[in-house]
Structures are given as structure tokens and as C-alpha cells.
Amino acid sequence: MSTVPPESSALLAEMCRHLSGLLAAGASRVTMAAGPVRLEVEGGGRPAAPAAVAPEPAAEPGLAVVAPLVGVFYRAPQPGAAPFVEVGDQVEPGQQVGIVEAMKLMNPVLAERAGRVTRIAADDGAPVEYEQPLLLLEPAGGEVG
Amino acid sequence: MFATVLIANRGEIALRVVRTCREMGIRTVVAHSTADRDSAAVRAADAAVQIGPAAPKGSYLSIPAVIEAARAAGAQAVHPGYGFLSEDADFAEVCAANDLVFIGPPPEVMARLGDKAAARREMASYGLPVLPGSAGTVNSLAEAAEVVDRIGYPVIIKAAAGGGGRGMSVVRSARELGRAYRATRAAAQAVFGDGRVYLERFCDQARHVEVQVLADRHGTVLHLGERDCSVQRRHQKLVEEAPAPNLPDALRAEMAAAAVAGARAAGYVGAGTFEFLVADDGFHFMEINCRIQVEHPVTEMVTGLDLVREQIRIAAGLPLKAGQHDVRPRGVALECRVNAEDPAREYAPAPGTLDEFVPPGGPFTRVDTHGYAGWRVTSDYDSLLAKVIVWAPDRLHAIARMRRALAEFRVAGRGVRTTIPALDRVLDEPDFIAGVHGTDLLSRMTQETP
């Protein structure tokens, strides 16, 4: 996308707002144009809201780090930053492994116990429900349950 | 019209709202706690979002959780049902700030009328008759004693933020006043987070009669007739009916006109209920309920209108289709609340798993319930299990039909008890059958049967 003239910044902001709405609704390819401003986004389709999908059952109690509240899950402290954890990382009890944003408040997600991350169960930026598994851990030292 | 409505409630009312939304072609998403994962409303809705733990504070009463659920669900509107956040003006404001339509009155109207002492003053200023009492809230025991000196005993102390029959004490002598004043303040602070109280004269044999109103955003205000809710236990309604029996037509019309005038003057929008006490000296305004009420089905049965549908249409900005002359209540409707309580043990909550749950059927019999065999009634929430509603051309026929319906209702499970035996006794009570009972009916019956 080319440089945007300053007078178009308000328009751009408005278009971005619409765009984020369309992406939130699940669109995977969006083209928007107005005057000198043209926006094209492909891919980036977001998963459907959890409302439409039953949450994964917490079938492995103690092994999943679950959402402490309903909101939007973020894997990193800010856009563009490195995620708090990746698959294969070892986490310690009390370590922050993500964020759930609810009404513009950033709520840290903490690991309750030690373990190695085996799977990231929720997508970055996706809405999550209360108690929805976010990460799966393999307990430290092969401990089970 | 809204494409998706989030239902921020549980139990029978959540299912009730799901049903009307489906009839209107609206997608429903139920916000629920962990305890309600398998509820009938969750099963019936198009989708569900788990918003928090069983304790309502973290789920049904959590404004951020409900708002996030609505956003995740892509909802345009939120139906709050009754109880929980239904009369929370802050919640309605937060909805608006998040581009969600709150299905209920405007927040500023709710805030004004939600303060019962202020609503009393406001309605008096519009010319509605109010019971003698304090001008507003009373701030000390001395002030309360001054009011009593003026109006005499018995009095009732009520929480300004009260509702649902909680935060009230009847005081019959000066000896009880101090303790009752302090206890009501403490209870109001604990239950509603607001310890302010006010005083009214208490009428022992009064009847509790309320008028249902509907008001749209285009200036139309209708009343849908009245309901008699005199059969109460500790200010909790057990049996409701429409119309109120043995009420002179002139009084009926006067009360309806007062409710419409009050709603219009207050700028009311949505479905609301004006509660009145009817005593020998006429009728007196008590409070306004800014929400759908538990007993709304009796009005639906006699008017043929779906009140939840009207609420949703009004919230969407549509004008009311009916005019006042189109509303012609017909016949008699009765509602009995079947609660998971043990009448033999002071109505103590009696929750448990419903091993058997067979609601009644038959002609002109409606059951609003979220119960099913296998459902576990928990003690986390109120004990309402089902509402049995019947309609008949006349009152005696309606009573007979209700007796028949309750006799059919089979509810069984370890530890589970219901109010059905108490309801049967009410239906056999001569004063009830004659339609001359007041709010003291149940307490008199309890004293008579040891």
C-alpha cells in the first residue's frame, strides 16, 4: 500500500475499523477503496466466535491452562512482540503464559503448575470462554494428573 | 430487527426468551455459568458462551463477562431477563457504550425509578396516590421514629434499592423499631450494596395488584390490564392471576390510567409493571419494576400478546402495533410457582437431581420451565423450578384446571421437594376461591395448620 496523504488518515482509520469488523465476522479476503486510499487484505480469516463452537472439554484436568474469564486471548504482551511461550517451552508455576482481554482490561493468564508446553489450544486474538483450554502442558518429570 | 440476541440470564426465563427469538427469526446466544452448562436454555439456543463460575458474582452478575460474551457472539442486543442485571442501569449504560442494545428501559429512566424511595416521590408528583410514609429515605433511627409518630403503626421498612421481595421488615410496635431499622439497613447493604431505606404504612389485609404497561419510543403507552399477586410468602409471590378478582371496574380503570400516566410522565420505554396496594381506602403506588416479570404469562394468556416479543420490537425501535382499544383481556389466567422448596420445613430450599420430571399438559395449560429429568437443581440460584399457567373462561374453571394440572405434575428426586402441596392448599382455601384474599392469606393459613 502506498503512502497515505495526511488528510486521508481519518478515512483510513474508519476503513480499518470496518475492516476489523469484517475480519472478526470471519472474512478471509477484503478489498476496500475510497479516494486515494485502497486497502487489500487476504488471509487472516479469524476463527468463528466460540459461541458457535462448544469449548474443548477440559478432559485433562491439571494439564490445561484455561481462560480465567471470557474475553479475547493474546499470546504476546503486545502486537509484534514475541509470544509469552511457544510449544516446547518449560513453564513454572505463576509464570505468565498469555493475556485475556475483557472490556479493555488486560488480564494475565498464569500457569498454575510446572510443565512443558505441548500445544497452543487457542488462537492469538480469538474470543475465548471461561475455562476454555488455552495451552496444554505435559507435567514436569512425567507426573500424571 | 436484530440478527443475534445475547440472553444474559438462566433458568426458565432464558428458555422463554430463546423461544420467542426463534419465532422472530432471531439467532440466540445464551451466556451461562459452569453450573448451567447443560441447561435447557443452553440446549435450546443457537449458541452458548460460558462466562464464569457458578457463583453469580463471577458470571450472571459480571458486566465485563456478559459484554465480552455479547461481543464474541456478534450480538446486537442483550436480553437481561429478570433478576441479575435486568434492572442495573450501569449495565444498560455499558451496553450502549459497546454498541449493544439493552432490551429494557433507557438507563437514566431505570436509575431514577430503580431507587424505590425516589420513584415514590416522583410518582406522587405526577398525582399518583402513594401510601403515607417518609418523603424519601430516612437517615437515622430518630428520623424513622418521627415518620412513625406521624403515620402510626404498623409500618414497613423497605430498601431503596430493593426488589424481589428482599430488604423489607414489618414493624408493629415502637419496641421493634430500632432492631428492624438496623437489620433492614444491614440487609439492604449486604444484598444490594446500598443501605438506604424508607418507610411506608403497612396494610395487613391489602391486596397486591399490579398493572402491566408497554411503551414504545414513539409516544405510545398501553396498559395490558392488571394482575393480582396477593398470594405471597414473605413478600415472595406464589400464585398470580389476571384479571384481579372482585375489583370494582372503576378502580380497575383508575389504576390502569394511573400506570399509563406515570409511565408517560416518567419517559418510560419498554415493558414495565406498576405495583399497587389495594386497601379499603383505595389504591396506593408502591414501585415500578423496569423489566419483564416472572408472572408475565398470565397477562399473555388473557391478552394474547407475547410480552417478550413486544419488548424486543420496542428495543429495535419499532412502534407498538396495538392501540389501547385492541387490548381486550379475555377470561381468567392463573399462575402457580413451583419452587424447589419444602413447605413442611419453612419453605427451606430443597435442591437435588430431578430423577422424574413430568410437567402437566392438557387444554389451556402452559408450563414455563427449564427442568428435565436428569437436571440438577443447584443451590447456587433461586429455587423457581416451573410456572404452571392455565387459562379458562371464568375463575372457578381456571381454579379447577389448575388443581388438575398440579395433580398431574410429577417431580421426584433425592432431596427434592416442591411447593405443590402448599399451592394445593391455597387453591382449596375458601377466601382464595371466593377471590377475597389479601397478602396475609398464606400466613393466616400457616397459623391455622400447625
Side-chain angles (χ1 to χ4, degrees), chain A residues 49-53 55 69-72 101-104 127-131, chain B residues 29 34 37 47-53 63-65 67-68 72-73 94 98:
Chain A
V53 196
L69 73 172
V70 65
V72 178
E101 181 196 349
M103 294 197 72
K104 303 188 176 67
V128 292
E129 297 186 60
Y130 176 68
E131 286 191 341
Chain B
V29 181
T34 51
R37 217 177 261 144
V49 184
Q50 184 162 292
I51 57 168
I63 293 176
I67 297 287
E68 284 302 322
V94 178
N98 284 278

PDB file of all heavy atoms in Angstrom, chain A residues 49-53 55 69-72 101-104 127-131, chain B residues 29 34 37 47-53 63-65 67-68 72-73 94 98:
ATOM      1  N   ALA A  49     -16.470 -17.205  16.218  1.00  0.00           N
ATOM      2  CA  ALA A  49     -16.605 -16.928  17.652  1.00  0.00           C
ATOM      3  C   ALA A  49     -16.856 -18.243  18.386  1.00  0.00           C
ATOM      4  O   ALA A  49     -17.482 -19.142  17.844  1.00  0.00           O
ATOM      5  CB  ALA A  49     -17.772 -15.977  17.864  1.00  0.00           C
ATOM      6  N   PRO A  50     -16.386 -18.337  19.618  1.00  0.00           N
ATOM      7  CA  PRO A  50     -16.548 -19.599  20.329  1.00  0.00           C
ATOM      8  C   PRO A  50     -18.006 -19.913  20.574  1.00  0.00           C
ATOM      9  O   PRO A  50     -18.361 -21.039  20.832  1.00  0.00           O
ATOM     10  CB  PRO A  50     -15.824 -19.355  21.651  1.00  0.00           C
ATOM     11  CG  PRO A  50     -15.842 -17.878  21.829  1.00  0.00           C
ATOM     12  CD  PRO A  50     -15.767 -17.314  20.434  1.00  0.00           C
ATOM     13  N   ALA A  51     -18.829 -18.868  20.447  1.00  0.00           N
ATOM     14  CA  ALA A  51     -20.256 -19.067  20.655  1.00  0.00           C
ATOM     15  C   ALA A  51     -20.776 -20.193  19.771  1.00  0.00           C
ATOM     16  O   ALA A  51     -21.684 -20.904  20.147  1.00  0.00           O
ATOM     17  CB  ALA A  51     -20.989 -17.779  20.329  1.00  0.00           C
ATOM     18  N   ALA A  52     -20.174 -20.293  18.571  1.00  0.00           N
ATOM     19  CA  ALA A  52     -20.696 -21.265  17.624  1.00  0.00           C
ATOM     20  C   ALA A  52     -20.111 -22.656  17.862  1.00  0.00           C
ATOM     21  O   ALA A  52     -20.547 -23.620  17.305  1.00  0.00           O
ATOM     22  CB  ALA A  52     -20.382 -20.806  16.211  1.00  0.00           C
ATOM     23  N   VAL A  53     -19.090 -22.728  18.695  1.00  0.00           N
ATOM     24  CA  VAL A  53     -18.378 -23.978  18.873  1.00  0.00           C
ATOM     25  C   VAL A  53     -18.355 -24.328  20.353  1.00  0.00           C
ATOM     26  O   VAL A  53     -18.082 -23.466  21.183  1.00  0.00           O
ATOM     27  CB  VAL A  53     -16.896 -23.814  18.432  1.00  0.00           C
ATOM     28  CG1 VAL A  53     -16.259 -25.180  18.243  1.00  0.00           C
ATOM     29  CG2 VAL A  53     -16.777 -22.969  17.181  1.00  0.00           C
ATOM     30  N   PRO A  55     -16.764 -25.408  23.681  1.00  0.00           N
ATOM     31  CA  PRO A  55     -15.371 -25.336  24.074  1.00  0.00           C
ATOM     32  C   PRO A  55     -14.792 -26.742  24.163  1.00  0.00           C
ATOM     33  O   PRO A  55     -15.524 -27.692  24.432  1.00  0.00           O
ATOM     34  CB  PRO A  55     -15.421 -24.691  25.456  1.00  0.00           C
ATOM     35  CG  PRO A  55     -16.796 -24.948  25.948  1.00  0.00           C
ATOM     36  CD  PRO A  55     -17.669 -25.013  24.744  1.00  0.00           C
ATOM     37  N   LEU A  69     -11.343 -16.030  32.435  1.00  0.00           N
ATOM     38  CA  LEU A  69     -12.580 -15.267  32.220  1.00  0.00           C
ATOM     39  C   LEU A  69     -12.867 -15.244  30.724  1.00  0.00           C
ATOM     40  O   LEU A  69     -12.027 -15.664  29.923  1.00  0.00           O
ATOM     41  CB  LEU A  69     -12.494 -13.841  32.784  1.00  0.00           C
ATOM     42  CG  LEU A  69     -11.646 -12.793  32.082  1.00  0.00           C
ATOM     43  CD1 LEU A  69     -11.891 -11.437  32.708  1.00  0.00           C
ATOM     44  CD2 LEU A  69     -10.165 -13.112  32.144  1.00  0.00           C
ATOM     45  N   VAL A  70     -14.050 -14.779  30.359  1.00  0.00           N
ATOM     46  CA  VAL A  70     -14.410 -14.695  28.947  1.00  0.00           C
ATOM     47  C   VAL A  70     -13.765 -13.432  28.378  1.00  0.00           C
ATOM     48  O   VAL A  70     -13.636 -12.431  29.061  1.00  0.00           O
ATOM     49  CB  VAL A  70     -15.960 -14.702  28.805  1.00  0.00           C
ATOM     50  CG1 VAL A  70     -16.584 -13.481  29.423  1.00  0.00           C
ATOM     51  CG2 VAL A  70     -16.399 -14.826  27.357  1.00  0.00           C
ATOM     52  N   GLY A  71     -13.280 -13.504  27.132  1.00  0.00           N
ATOM     53  CA  GLY A  71     -12.609 -12.340  26.542  1.00  0.00           C
ATOM     54  C   GLY A  71     -11.846 -12.720  25.291  1.00  0.00           C
ATOM     55  O   GLY A  71     -12.185 -13.692  24.624  1.00  0.00           O
ATOM     56  N   VAL A  72     -10.828 -11.951  24.981  1.00  0.00           N
ATOM     57  CA  VAL A  72     -10.012 -12.220  23.783  1.00  0.00           C
ATOM     58  C   VAL A  72      -8.606 -12.640  24.236  1.00  0.00           C
ATOM     59  O   VAL A  72      -7.985 -11.966  25.063  1.00  0.00           O
ATOM     60  CB  VAL A  72      -9.950 -10.977  22.875  1.00  0.00           C
ATOM     61  CG1 VAL A  72      -9.062 -11.241  21.658  1.00  0.00           C
ATOM     62  CG2 VAL A  72     -11.352 -10.586  22.422  1.00  0.00           C
ATOM     63  N   GLU A 101      -8.102 -10.373  27.297  1.00  0.00           N
ATOM     64  CA  GLU A 101      -8.598  -9.004  27.368  1.00  0.00           C
ATOM     65  C   GLU A 101     -10.123  -9.041  27.517  1.00  0.00           C
ATOM     66  O   GLU A 101     -10.819  -9.692  26.739  1.00  0.00           O
ATOM     67  CB  GLU A 101      -8.235  -8.240  26.098  1.00  0.00           C
ATOM     68  CG  GLU A 101      -8.716  -6.808  26.143  1.00  0.00           C
ATOM     69  CD  GLU A 101      -8.725  -6.134  24.781  1.00  0.00           C
ATOM     70  OE1 GLU A 101      -8.174  -6.680  23.826  1.00  0.00           O
ATOM     71  OE2 GLU A 101      -9.316  -5.050  24.705  1.00  0.00           O
ATOM     72  N   ALA A 102     -10.615  -8.351  28.532  1.00  0.00           N
ATOM     73  CA  ALA A 102     -12.064  -8.215  28.690  1.00  0.00           C
ATOM     74  C   ALA A 102     -12.356  -6.760  28.983  1.00  0.00           C
ATOM     75  O   ALA A 102     -11.819  -6.194  29.937  1.00  0.00           O
ATOM     76  CB  ALA A 102     -12.573  -9.102  29.828  1.00  0.00           C
ATOM     77  N   MET A 103     -13.180  -6.165  28.162  1.00  0.00           N
ATOM     78  CA  MET A 103     -13.544  -4.752  28.296  1.00  0.00           C
ATOM     79  C   MET A 103     -12.315  -3.859  28.493  1.00  0.00           C
ATOM     80  O   MET A 103     -12.258  -3.055  29.399  1.00  0.00           O
ATOM     81  CB  MET A 103     -14.537  -4.590  29.435  1.00  0.00           C
ATOM     82  CG  MET A 103     -15.840  -5.285  29.094  1.00  0.00           C
ATOM     83  SD  MET A 103     -17.166  -4.746  30.142  1.00  0.00           S
ATOM     84  CE  MET A 103     -17.422  -3.095  29.511  1.00  0.00           C
ATOM     85  N   LYS A 104     -11.345  -4.048  27.597  1.00  0.00           N
ATOM     86  CA  LYS A 104     -10.130  -3.231  27.530  1.00  0.00           C
ATOM     87  C   LYS A 104      -9.198  -3.422  28.722  1.00  0.00           C
ATOM     88  O   LYS A 104      -8.239  -2.685  28.884  1.00  0.00           O
ATOM     89  CB  LYS A 104     -10.474  -1.741  27.366  1.00  0.00           C
ATOM     90  CG  LYS A 104     -11.329  -1.470  26.128  1.00  0.00           C
ATOM     91  CD  LYS A 104     -11.490   0.004  25.863  1.00  0.00           C
ATOM     92  CE  LYS A 104     -12.252   0.243  24.580  1.00  0.00           C
ATOM     93  NZ  LYS A 104     -13.658  -0.173  24.631  1.00  0.00           N
ATOM     94  N   PRO A 127     -11.679 -14.899  20.407  1.00  0.00           N
ATOM     95  CA  PRO A 127     -12.510 -14.859  21.618  1.00  0.00           C
ATOM     96  C   PRO A 127     -12.461 -16.219  22.316  1.00  0.00           C
ATOM     97  O   PRO A 127     -12.497 -17.252  21.657  1.00  0.00           O
ATOM     98  CB  PRO A 127     -13.923 -14.587  21.081  1.00  0.00           C
ATOM     99  CG  PRO A 127     -13.752 -14.247  19.634  1.00  0.00           C
ATOM    100  CD  PRO A 127     -12.459 -14.826  19.177  1.00  0.00           C
ATOM    101  N   VAL A 128     -12.380 -16.194  23.636  1.00  0.00           N
ATOM    102  CA  VAL A 128     -12.368 -17.446  24.397  1.00  0.00           C
ATOM    103  C   VAL A 128     -13.408 -17.369  25.511  1.00  0.00           C
ATOM    104  O   VAL A 128     -13.766 -16.293  25.954  1.00  0.00           O
ATOM    105  CB  VAL A 128     -10.971 -17.740  25.005  1.00  0.00           C
ATOM    106  CG1 VAL A 128      -9.968 -18.056  23.909  1.00  0.00           C
ATOM    107  CG2 VAL A 128     -10.485 -16.584  25.884  1.00  0.00           C
ATOM    108  N   GLU A 129     -13.858 -18.543  25.921  1.00  0.00           N
ATOM    109  CA  GLU A 129     -14.837 -18.631  27.000  1.00  0.00           C
ATOM    110  C   GLU A 129     -14.137 -18.888  28.324  1.00  0.00           C
ATOM    111  O   GLU A 129     -12.988 -19.308  28.352  1.00  0.00           O
ATOM    112  CB  GLU A 129     -15.784 -19.804  26.751  1.00  0.00           C
ATOM    113  CG  GLU A 129     -16.614 -19.679  25.520  1.00  0.00           C
ATOM    114  CD  GLU A 129     -17.610 -20.805  25.427  1.00  0.00           C
ATOM    115  OE1 GLU A 129     -18.439 -20.942  26.329  1.00  0.00           O
ATOM    116  OE2 GLU A 129     -17.543 -21.565  24.454  1.00  0.00           O
ATOM    117  N   TYR A 130     -14.898 -18.707  29.403  1.00  0.00           N
ATOM    118  CA  TYR A 130     -14.412 -19.061  30.737  1.00  0.00           C
ATOM    119  C   TYR A 130     -14.063 -20.544  30.762  1.00  0.00           C
ATOM    120  O   TYR A 130     -14.835 -21.367  30.278  1.00  0.00           O
ATOM    121  CB  TYR A 130     -15.510 -18.746  31.754  1.00  0.00           C
ATOM    122  CG  TYR A 130     -15.210 -19.148  33.165  1.00  0.00           C
ATOM    123  CD1 TYR A 130     -14.206 -18.510  33.887  1.00  0.00           C
ATOM    124  CD2 TYR A 130     -15.930 -20.161  33.776  1.00  0.00           C
ATOM    125  CE1 TYR A 130     -13.942 -18.877  35.203  1.00  0.00           C
ATOM    126  CE2 TYR A 130     -15.673 -20.534  35.093  1.00  0.00           C
ATOM    127  CZ  TYR A 130     -14.674 -19.890  35.802  1.00  0.00           C
ATOM    128  OH  TYR A 130     -14.414 -20.248  37.095  1.00  0.00           O
ATOM    129  N   GLU A 131     -12.895 -20.867  31.254  1.00  0.00           N
ATOM    130  CA  GLU A 131     -12.410 -22.247  31.410  1.00  0.00           C
ATOM    131  C   GLU A 131     -12.080 -22.944  30.091  1.00  0.00           C
ATOM    132  O   GLU A 131     -11.861 -24.148  30.065  1.00  0.00           O
ATOM    133  CB  GLU A 131     -13.372 -23.117  32.237  1.00  0.00           C
ATOM    134  CG  GLU A 131     -13.323 -22.782  33.707  1.00  0.00           C
ATOM    135  CD  GLU A 131     -14.045 -23.776  34.602  1.00  0.00           C
ATOM    136  OE1 GLU A 131     -14.878 -24.538  34.103  1.00  0.00           O
ATOM    137  OE2 GLU A 131     -13.744 -23.757  35.818  1.00  0.00           O
TER     138      GLU A 131
ATOM    139  N   VAL B  29     -27.956 -16.503  21.579  1.00  0.00           N
ATOM    140  CA  VAL B  29     -26.744 -16.978  22.236  1.00  0.00           C
ATOM    141  C   VAL B  29     -26.981 -16.828  23.734  1.00  0.00           C
ATOM    142  O   VAL B  29     -27.319 -15.743  24.204  1.00  0.00           O
ATOM    143  CB  VAL B  29     -25.514 -16.157  21.808  1.00  0.00           C
ATOM    144  CG1 VAL B  29     -24.264 -16.692  22.478  1.00  0.00           C
ATOM    145  CG2 VAL B  29     -25.367 -16.168  20.294  1.00  0.00           C
ATOM    146  N   THR B  34     -20.722 -22.119  34.634  1.00  0.00           N
ATOM    147  CA  THR B  34     -20.306 -23.528  34.547  1.00  0.00           C
ATOM    148  C   THR B  34     -21.419 -24.451  35.057  1.00  0.00           C
ATOM    149  O   THR B  34     -21.590 -25.555  34.533  1.00  0.00           O
ATOM    150  CB  THR B  34     -19.043 -23.781  35.396  1.00  0.00           C
ATOM    151  OG1 THR B  34     -19.260 -23.270  36.710  1.00  0.00           O
ATOM    152  CG2 THR B  34     -17.830 -23.098  34.801  1.00  0.00           C
ATOM    153  N   ARG B  37     -24.028 -25.412  32.282  1.00  0.00           N
ATOM    154  CA  ARG B  37     -23.502 -25.915  31.013  1.00  0.00           C
ATOM    155  C   ARG B  37     -24.524 -26.780  30.271  1.00  0.00           C
ATOM    156  O   ARG B  37     -24.615 -26.743  29.061  1.00  0.00           O
ATOM    157  CB  ARG B  37     -22.285 -26.772  31.363  1.00  0.00           C
ATOM    158  CG  ARG B  37     -21.153 -26.696  30.411  1.00  0.00           C
ATOM    159  CD  ARG B  37     -20.008 -27.542  30.936  1.00  0.00           C
ATOM    160  NE  ARG B  37     -19.011 -26.739  31.614  1.00  0.00           N
ATOM    161  CZ  ARG B  37     -18.330 -27.148  32.692  1.00  0.00           C
ATOM    162  NH1 ARG B  37     -18.577 -28.322  33.238  1.00  0.00           N
ATOM    163  NH2 ARG B  37     -17.425 -26.372  33.218  1.00  0.00           N
ATOM    164  N   ALA B  47     -26.505 -20.931  20.134  1.00  0.00           N
ATOM    165  CA  ALA B  47     -25.121 -20.998  20.587  1.00  0.00           C
ATOM    166  C   ALA B  47     -25.074 -20.605  22.056  1.00  0.00           C
ATOM    167  O   ALA B  47     -26.057 -20.106  22.606  1.00  0.00           O
ATOM    168  CB  ALA B  47     -24.252 -20.062  19.761  1.00  0.00           C
ATOM    169  N   ALA B  48     -23.933 -20.854  22.675  1.00  0.00           N
ATOM    170  CA  ALA B  48     -23.794 -20.536  24.093  1.00  0.00           C
ATOM    171  C   ALA B  48     -22.359 -20.110  24.372  1.00  0.00           C
ATOM    172  O   ALA B  48     -21.438 -20.531  23.683  1.00  0.00           O
ATOM    173  CB  ALA B  48     -24.158 -21.751  24.932  1.00  0.00           C
ATOM    174  N   VAL B  49     -22.197 -19.244  25.353  1.00  0.00           N
ATOM    175  CA  VAL B  49     -20.851 -18.829  25.774  1.00  0.00           C
ATOM    176  C   VAL B  49     -20.775 -19.011  27.289  1.00  0.00           C
ATOM    177  O   VAL B  49     -21.614 -18.492  28.023  1.00  0.00           O
ATOM    178  CB  VAL B  49     -20.568 -17.343  25.446  1.00  0.00           C
ATOM    179  CG1 VAL B  49     -19.128 -16.985  25.816  1.00  0.00           C
ATOM    180  CG2 VAL B  49     -20.829 -17.035  23.990  1.00  0.00           C
ATOM    181  N   GLN B  50     -19.765 -19.750  27.715  1.00  0.00           N
ATOM    182  CA  GLN B  50     -19.574 -19.935  29.155  1.00  0.00           C
ATOM    183  C   GLN B  50     -18.851 -18.707  29.704  1.00  0.00           C
ATOM    184  O   GLN B  50     -17.750 -18.385  29.264  1.00  0.00           O
ATOM    185  CB  GLN B  50     -18.769 -21.205  29.401  1.00  0.00           C
ATOM    186  CG  GLN B  50     -18.601 -21.529  30.854  1.00  0.00           C
ATOM    187  CD  GLN B  50     -18.190 -22.977  31.039  1.00  0.00           C
ATOM    188  OE1 GLN B  50     -18.955 -23.905  30.772  1.00  0.00           O
ATOM    189  NE2 GLN B  50     -16.974 -23.190  31.494  1.00  0.00           N
ATOM    190  N   ILE B  51     -19.505 -18.023  30.637  1.00  0.00           N
ATOM    191  CA  ILE B  51     -18.948 -16.723  31.041  1.00  0.00           C
ATOM    192  C   ILE B  51     -18.324 -16.698  32.426  1.00  0.00           C
ATOM    193  O   ILE B  51     -17.693 -15.709  32.794  1.00  0.00           O
ATOM    194  CB  ILE B  51     -20.019 -15.604  30.972  1.00  0.00           C
ATOM    195  CG1 ILE B  51     -21.241 -15.958  31.837  1.00  0.00           C
ATOM    196  CG2 ILE B  51     -20.416 -15.318  29.535  1.00  0.00           C
ATOM    197  CD1 ILE B  51     -22.183 -14.773  32.039  1.00  0.00           C
ATOM    198  N   GLY B  52     -18.500 -17.746  33.216  1.00  0.00           N
ATOM    199  CA  GLY B  52     -17.902 -17.696  34.546  1.00  0.00           C
ATOM    200  C   GLY B  52     -18.368 -18.833  35.422  1.00  0.00           C
ATOM    201  O   GLY B  52     -19.100 -19.715  34.978  1.00  0.00           O
ATOM    202  N   PRO B  53     -17.933 -18.800  36.688  1.00  0.00           N
ATOM    203  CA  PRO B  53     -18.246 -19.885  37.613  1.00  0.00           C
ATOM    204  C   PRO B  53     -19.702 -19.865  38.060  1.00  0.00           C
ATOM    205  O   PRO B  53     -20.448 -18.953  37.731  1.00  0.00           O
ATOM    206  CB  PRO B  53     -17.318 -19.597  38.794  1.00  0.00           C
ATOM    207  CG  PRO B  53     -17.108 -18.122  38.760  1.00  0.00           C
ATOM    208  CD  PRO B  53     -17.144 -17.732  37.310  1.00  0.00           C
ATOM    209  N   ILE B  63     -20.592  -7.743  34.667  1.00  0.00           N
ATOM    210  CA  ILE B  63     -20.834  -6.923  33.467  1.00  0.00           C
ATOM    211  C   ILE B  63     -19.770  -7.180  32.392  1.00  0.00           C
ATOM    212  O   ILE B  63     -20.114  -7.434  31.228  1.00  0.00           O
ATOM    213  CB  ILE B  63     -20.963  -5.431  33.846  1.00  0.00           C
ATOM    214  CG1 ILE B  63     -22.242  -5.233  34.686  1.00  0.00           C
ATOM    215  CG2 ILE B  63     -20.974  -4.536  32.602  1.00  0.00           C
ATOM    216  CD1 ILE B  63     -22.450  -3.821  35.210  1.00  0.00           C
ATOM    217  N   PRO B  64     -18.463  -7.172  32.741  1.00  0.00           N
ATOM    218  CA  PRO B  64     -17.470  -7.430  31.686  1.00  0.00           C
ATOM    219  C   PRO B  64     -17.676  -8.789  31.020  1.00  0.00           C
ATOM    220  O   PRO B  64     -17.552  -8.903  29.796  1.00  0.00           O
ATOM    221  CB  PRO B  64     -16.128  -7.399  32.437  1.00  0.00           C
ATOM    222  CG  PRO B  64     -16.389  -6.644  33.684  1.00  0.00           C
ATOM    223  CD  PRO B  64     -17.829  -6.877  34.041  1.00  0.00           C
ATOM    224  N   ALA B  65     -18.020  -9.812  31.808  1.00  0.00           N
ATOM    225  CA  ALA B  65     -18.180 -11.145  31.224  1.00  0.00           C
ATOM    226  C   ALA B  65     -19.346 -11.172  30.235  1.00  0.00           C
ATOM    227  O   ALA B  65     -19.238 -11.730  29.139  1.00  0.00           O
ATOM    228  CB  ALA B  65     -18.396 -12.178  32.329  1.00  0.00           C
ATOM    229  N   ILE B  67     -20.684  -8.592  28.613  1.00  0.00           N
ATOM    230  CA  ILE B  67     -20.376  -7.758  27.439  1.00  0.00           C
ATOM    231  C   ILE B  67     -19.417  -8.495  26.492  1.00  0.00           C
ATOM    232  O   ILE B  67     -19.611  -8.507  25.272  1.00  0.00           O
ATOM    233  CB  ILE B  67     -19.762  -6.405  27.877  1.00  0.00           C
ATOM    234  CG1 ILE B  67     -20.774  -5.607  28.714  1.00  0.00           C
ATOM    235  CG2 ILE B  67     -19.254  -5.602  26.681  1.00  0.00           C
ATOM    236  CD1 ILE B  67     -21.916  -5.000  27.953  1.00  0.00           C
ATOM    237  N   GLU B  68     -18.387  -9.129  27.055  1.00  0.00           N
ATOM    238  CA  GLU B  68     -17.444  -9.869  26.203  1.00  0.00           C
ATOM    239  C   GLU B  68     -18.152 -11.009  25.478  1.00  0.00           C
ATOM    240  O   GLU B  68     -17.862 -11.289  24.322  1.00  0.00           O
ATOM    241  CB  GLU B  68     -16.290 -10.411  27.041  1.00  0.00           C
ATOM    242  CG  GLU B  68     -15.269  -9.353  27.426  1.00  0.00           C
ATOM    243  CD  GLU B  68     -14.657  -8.650  26.221  1.00  0.00           C
ATOM    244  OE1 GLU B  68     -14.399  -9.294  25.183  1.00  0.00           O
ATOM    245  OE2 GLU B  68     -14.453  -7.427  26.314  1.00  0.00           O
ATOM    246  N   ALA B  72     -18.253 -11.454  21.518  1.00  0.00           N
ATOM    247  CA  ALA B  72     -17.758 -12.681  20.885  1.00  0.00           C
ATOM    248  C   ALA B  72     -18.845 -13.324  20.038  1.00  0.00           C
ATOM    249  O   ALA B  72     -18.576 -13.908  18.998  1.00  0.00           O
ATOM    250  CB  ALA B  72     -17.288 -13.658  21.955  1.00  0.00           C
ATOM    251  N   ALA B  73     -20.098 -13.179  20.507  1.00  0.00           N
ATOM    252  CA  ALA B  73     -21.218 -13.804  19.812  1.00  0.00           C
ATOM    253  C   ALA B  73     -21.688 -12.987  18.611  1.00  0.00           C
ATOM    254  O   ALA B  73     -22.506 -13.446  17.832  1.00  0.00           O
ATOM    255  CB  ALA B  73     -22.377 -13.987  20.784  1.00  0.00           C
ATOM    256  N   VAL B  94     -23.308   0.477  29.988  1.00  0.00           N
ATOM    257  CA  VAL B  94     -22.138  -0.187  29.411  1.00  0.00           C
ATOM    258  C   VAL B  94     -22.531  -0.863  28.092  1.00  0.00           C
ATOM    259  O   VAL B  94     -21.760  -0.860  27.130  1.00  0.00           O
ATOM    260  CB  VAL B  94     -21.514  -1.194  30.409  1.00  0.00           C
ATOM    261  CG1 VAL B  94     -20.329  -1.918  29.783  1.00  0.00           C
ATOM    262  CG2 VAL B  94     -21.074  -0.482  31.683  1.00  0.00           C
ATOM    263  N   ASN B  98     -20.946  -0.053  24.308  1.00  0.00           N
ATOM    264  CA  ASN B  98     -20.363  -1.109  23.485  1.00  0.00           C
ATOM    265  C   ASN B  98     -21.234  -1.434  22.265  1.00  0.00           C
ATOM    266  O   ASN B  98     -21.153  -2.536  21.712  1.00  0.00           O
ATOM    267  CB  ASN B  98     -20.132  -2.358  24.330  1.00  0.00           C
ATOM    268  CG  ASN B  98     -18.914  -2.213  25.221  1.00  0.00           C
ATOM    269  OD1 ASN B  98     -17.784  -2.422  24.784  1.00  0.00           O
ATOM    270  ND2 ASN B  98     -19.123  -1.796  26.451  1.00  0.00           N
TER     271      ASN B  98
END
